């Protein structure tokens, strides 16, 4: 599995933007579909966005469609999540994870997690 380190979280007002980064190492990054997930207090970890290993196909949870954009730079072994029009309900710890040759949409298919990055959206 790829090892990941997430960064870019913070405190932002509703309507604001943040860009999260996920730096990967340990395996051939370009062989891995990548996904962003989030977990709010008392809730299960949920899928947010995913991208295939080529970067040609992307997938989003309905709750973030039209507001969030996932992208990747295979030369830098990094995946990004641009988050616009943030809402208080987007507040959570955000994690990224990979799955070889497939897009991880179920957190149970991710073998290794980073420490996550906290996103807090104030109203």
């Amino acid at each position: 599995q790829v090892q990941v380190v997430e960064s870019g979280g913070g405190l932002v007002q509703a309507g604001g933007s943040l860009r999260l980064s996920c730096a990967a190492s340990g395996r051939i990054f370009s062989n891995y579909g990548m996904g962003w997930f989030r977990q709010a207090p008392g809730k299960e970890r949920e899928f947010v966005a995913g991208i295939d290993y080529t970067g040609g196909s992307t997938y989003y949870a309905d709750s973030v469609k039209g507001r969030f954009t996932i992208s990747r730079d295979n030369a830098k072994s990094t995946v990004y999540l641009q988050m616009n029009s943030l809402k208080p309900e987007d507040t959570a710890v955000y994690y990224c994870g990979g799955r070889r040759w497939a897009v991880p949409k179920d957190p149970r298919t991710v073998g290794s997690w980073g420490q996550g990055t906290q996103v807090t959206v104030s109203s």
Side-chain angles (χ1 to χ4, degrees):
Q1 287 295 327
V2 291
Q3 308 302 312
V4 298
V5 177
E6 303 93 340
S7 62
L11 173 63
V12 64
Q13 289 188 333
S17 298
L18 282 173
R19 189 194 195 205
L20 306 184
S21 297
C22 169
S25 63
R27 295 291 182 183
I28 302 175
F29 179 72
S30 58
N31 290 351
Y32 281 77
M34 298 296 294
W36 283 98
F37 299 80
R38 65 187 181 188
Q39 188 165 16
K43 295 189 177 181
E44 293 186 350
R45 193 166 298 188
E46 65 175 2
F47 172 77
V48 173
I51 189 166
D52 75 349
Y53 62 96
T54 70
S57 296
T58 57
Y59 307 86
Y60 298 94
D62 288 344
S63 58
V64 307
K65 275 181 185 175
R67 301 188 297 122
F68 290 12
T69 302
I70 188 171
S71 61
R72 66 187 295 157
D73 184 338
N74 283 349
K76 295 182 178 180
S77 297
T78 301
V79 62
Y80 306 97
L81 186 68
Q82 177 66 43
M83 306 186 296
N84 299 329
S85 302
L86 282 161
K87 304 176 181 180
E89 50 264 43
D90 295 318
T91 295
V93 179
Y94 283 70
Y95 300 88
C96 71
R99 185 180 179 190
R100 197 161 181 248
W101 304 122
V103 178
K105 297 181 184 178
D106 185 334
R108 293 171 297 181
T109 64
V110 176
S112 178
W113 298 102
Q115 82 290 347
T117 186
Q118 175 71 48
V119 171
T120 303
V121 184
S122 63
S123 57

